[in-house]
Amino acid sequence: MTAGFAGLAIDGVILPLVERLFAPSLLEGWNGFGSIGVAMAIIIWCGAIAIGWVLTACMSAVIWERYAPTQAVLDVESDPPAC
């Protein structure tokens, strides 16, 4: 549950706040290029969302490794991959 708070903070608070602050100016800056400009703004925002997902995965893993029982972390890290 603690690791889920990283996702809640990043995807539920930080990214929507950044979107509210920067999306209008981002769209306005690309508006002069017409439909290509709007598409570029959307692509940039998709990149921001992707970075948010990567940060969520990394932060969740770090938090889990810090708060999980030591034996559970060692078992996950030392198990051979299932092929």
Side-chain angles (χ1 to χ4, degrees):
M1 186 168 134
T2 304
F5 286 129
L8 175 70
I10 294 170
D11 290 334
V13 177
I14 296 171
L15 283 178
L17 183 63
V18 169
E19 179 184 14
R20 294 274 184 189
L21 293 174
F22 294 111
S25 64
L26 181 65
L27 284 171
E28 187 177 297
W30 286 98
N31 199 20
F33 295 103
S35 59
I36 288 292
V38 173
M40 292 299 291
I42 291 171
I43 289 171
I44 290 170
W45 183 245
C46 289
I49 295 292
I51 290 169
W53 288 347
V54 170
L55 288 175
T56 298
C58 292
M59 290 300 298
S60 297
V62 168
I63 291 171
W64 181 80
E65 286 185 353
R66 289 187 182 183
Y67 292 106
T70 304
Q71 190 58 43
V73 175
L74 291 175
D75 289 342
V76 170
E77 297 291 330
S78 62
D79 284 342
C83 292

